[in-house]
């Protein structure tokens, strides 16, 4: 029965849709994570951006998992567990597939480190959190290289728009942080501990993760 269901699943469409949706959701999570730390983001809008930043990132992770598992049961060009888990060993598009595997591992590290932030400490958490940038870039290149829809003009526009958007908002936030200093925070504004220099260093960029302020738990 289970094999019959697998045989008749539209695996090719599931792979395409889950991959594209995971990338778009990750873009939304990264973008909202940066935007919610802007000086002008305050009150309810800031809390809403933080909430959706967390939700879209976890949804991206879930769809990425669906994408990988469907590649394993695909009828046309199935991947082995080794090709899925070991970067750059795939027989088809080894570079692009390897970047996708590394990006997925990086996303797992970012999400877990965010949940363990209190145990890791702010500096270590920040170092892991900065993996969000190579994760996003890795998935961008992965989609462009391996995606069967990457030649479509709409998909090309999506890749260009999302890439330039992350670059633009990162530069803008860096400029505003330079002027505003420690007022830029991760998540809704709350009391923090540690030296001022440590706060300045860590609170520069809020990308992806699940850092939960006390009043949001």
């Amino acid at each position: 029965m289970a094999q019959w269901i697998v045989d008749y699943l539209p695996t090719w469409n599931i792979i395409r849709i889950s991959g594209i949706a995971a990338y778009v959701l990750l873009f939304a999570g990264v973008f909202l994570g940066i935007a919610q730390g802007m000086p002008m983001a305050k009150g309810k809008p800031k809390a809403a951006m933080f909430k959706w930043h967390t939700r879209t990132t976890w949804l991206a992770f879930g769809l990425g998992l669906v994408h990988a598992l469907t590649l394993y049961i695909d009828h046309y060009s199935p991947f082995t567990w080794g090709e899925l888990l070991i970067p750059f060993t795939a027989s088809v598009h080894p570079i692009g597939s390897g970047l996708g595997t590394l990006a997925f591992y990086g996303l797992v590290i970012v999400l877990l480190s965010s949940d363990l932030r209190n145990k890791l400490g702010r500096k270590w958490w920040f170092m892991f959190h900065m993996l969000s940038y190579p994760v996003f870039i890795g998935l961008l290149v992965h989609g462009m290289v391996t995606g069967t829809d990457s030649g479509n003009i709409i998909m090309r526009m999506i890749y260009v728009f999302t890439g330039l958007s992350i670059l633009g908002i990162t530069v803008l936030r860096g400029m505003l942080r330079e002027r505003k200093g420690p007022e830029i925070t991760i998540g809704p504004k709350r009391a923090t501990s540690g030296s001022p220099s440590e706060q300045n260093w860590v609170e520069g960029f809020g990308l992806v993760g699940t850092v939960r302020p006390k009043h949001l738990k």
Side-chain angles (χ1 to χ4, degrees):
M1 179 67 177
Q3 186 61 45
W4 183 87
I5 294 175
V6 169
D7 289 340
Y8 285 91
L9 275 176
T11 54
W12 190 244
N13 288 328
I14 294 174
I15 291 168
R16 293 165 60 205
I17 294 171
S18 60
I20 294 171
Y23 172 76
V24 173
L25 284 168
L26 181 68
F27 159 72
V30 174
F31 189 90
L32 289 171
I34 301 171
Q36 61 87 32
M38 292 286 192
M40 66 284 292
K42 299 177 181 178
K44 291 183 178 180
K46 183 183 184 74
M49 284 191 290
F50 179 77
K51 178 174 68 175
W52 283 103
H53 146 72
T54 301
R55 288 179 176 178
T56 52
T57 302
W58 275 103
L59 284 172
F61 169 77
L63 284 172
L65 192 59
V66 171
H67 179 73
L69 293 176
T70 310
L71 282 169
Y72 177 72
I73 63 172
D74 181 40
H75 320 300
Y76 178 70
S77 181
F79 278 54
T80 65
W81 284 117
E83 290 175 321
L84 288 173
L85 298 174
I86 304 174
F88 311 115
T89 61
S91 57
V92 180
H93 299 300
I95 302 300
S97 298
L99 289 175
T101 300
L102 289 177
F104 186 81
Y105 289 156
L107 182 58
V108 171
I109 292 172
V110 171
L111 291 172
L112 290 178
S113 65
S114 295
D115 280 342
L116 298 173
R117 183 187 181 190
N118 292 334
K119 294 183 179 180
L120 290 172
R122 294 167 63 83
K123 286 186 178 180
W124 278 104
W125 167 82
F126 180 75
M127 291 175 65
F128 286 124
H129 213 62
M130 289 301 290
L131 286 174
S132 302
Y133 280 109
V135 165
F136 176 77
I137 295 171
L139 288 184
L140 172 61
V141 177
H142 168 74
M144 294 177 65
V145 172
T146 66
T148 56
D149 297 302
S150 58
N152 184 285
I153 185 63
I154 295 178
M155 285 306 305
R156 289 182 180 180
M157 292 175 64
I158 289 175
Y159 288 134
V160 171
F161 171 77
T162 53
L164 291 179
S165 295
I166 294 300
L167 176 62
I169 196 170
T170 299
V171 172
L172 177 61
R173 180 164 176 177
M175 294 170 59
L176 293 175
R177 177 178 176 247
E178 189 69 24
R179 286 193 322 195
K180 296 293 183 179
E183 287 301 312
I184 299 178
T185 59
I186 299 170
K189 190 173 182 180
R190 56 196 172 90
T192 57
S193 58
S195 66
S197 60
E198 182 180 344
Q199 288 181 230
N200 288 345
W201 182 65
V202 174
E203 294 180 344
F205 297 92
L207 303 176
V208 299
T210 55
V211 183
R212 300 188 183 95
K214 291 182 179 180
H215 68 280
L216 292 182
K217 288 184 179 178

